[in-house]
Amino acid sequence: NKLTGTIPSELGLLSNLQELHLWRNQLIGNIPSELVLLSNLQILNLWDNKLTGTITSELGLMTNLQELHLEGNQLIGNIPSELVLLSNLQILNLWDNKLTGTIPSELGL
């Protein structure tokens, strides 16, 4: 696809959504905090866009999340230690960003 613009915060209203795949587009801006309202979401795939800003610690509230793909963006800042709360997480891809700091020891990586 060639989707542009920001990720609509209204996606957070899709309460039964289990997978959100928006990879390989040209999306910009921050990851909307409203996505944490997707309590049934199992896969969040936002890789290979132009997303900026930080990885919000609120993502730790998405307890059903099994896969989190944020690689290939322009995300900055630290990896939030709250990601340890994602007890069902099996895949975490953060490579090819502008993240700084250390990997939180709580993640056990």
Side-chain angles (χ1 to χ4, degrees), residues 57 78-85 104-107:
S57 60
N78 295 321
I79 299 170
S81 59
E82 289 83 358
L83 294 184
V84 73
L85 300 173
S105 59
E106 298 89 351
L107 289 177

Side-chain angles (χ1 to χ4, degrees), residues 30-45:
N30 295 332
I31 300 168
S33 59
E34 290 84 359
L35 292 186
V36 302
L37 300 173
L38 299 172
S39 58
N40 292 311
L41 198 67
Q42 297 173 1
I43 299 174
L44 178 56
N45 191 341

Side-chain angles (χ1 to χ4, degrees), residues 30-31 52-57 74-78 80 99:
N30 295 332
I31 300 168
T52 57
T54 60
I55 300 172
T56 176
S57 60
Q74 299 170 17
L75 298 171
I76 60 170
N78 295 321
L99 299 171

